Amino acid sequence: MPKDHSRPRRVAEQIQRELAELLQLELKDPRVGMVTLTDVEVTPDYAHAKVYFTLLNQGHSLEETLIGLNRAAGFLRSQLAHRMRLRIVPQLHFVFDSSVERGVQLSHLIEEAVSQEGDKQDQEED
């Protein structure tokens, strides 16, 4: 019988939605600023969840934000238990997602290369 991998994905998506709402409305830790949750990965036994996040406001340092999120993990987990019907609510592990920053850097590099190529073509035409 094939394993159904859609349930862990659905659970991860629901956890991401609930955590995003909790971070926005319930969490009062000043160390946690504008945080965007980019993904959640749940282990097959639902014991652990990796929560990937990125920072929108660079006013808070990554270290401060990570400390604040880890301190709030127990509170967030208990709130998830109230909001979701799960037999096991996973322990939350927060991981910084640097892919957004890398994407912005690559976009800037591409724009720079295109503008330099355009400058070279303009000089050759003169």
Side-chain angles (χ1 to χ4, degrees), residues 17-33:
R17 284 191 296 271
E18 296 293 341
L19 281 177
E21 187 175 317
L22 285 168
L23 288 172
Q24 182 181 11
L25 301 176
E26 301 291 329
L27 191 62
K28 305 294 186 218
D29 193 329
R31 294 173 290 197
V32 179

Side-chain angles (χ1 to χ4, degrees), residues 117-126:
E117 186 65 29
D119 292 344
K120 282 184 183 179
Q121 288 178 356
D122 290 342
Q123 289 176 357
E124 290 174 1
E125 290 177 1
D126 289 340

Side-chain angles (χ1 to χ4, degrees), residues 33-62:
M34 296 293 289
V35 173
T36 299
L37 302 181
T38 56
D39 195 21
V40 174
E41 292 177 358
V42 179
T43 58
D45 62 355
Y46 303 104
H48 300 275
K50 279 187 184 177
V51 181
Y52 294 92
F53 72 94
T54 186
L55 298 175
L56 291 180
N57 184 359
Q58 297 300 330
H60 291 84
S61 74
L62 174 60

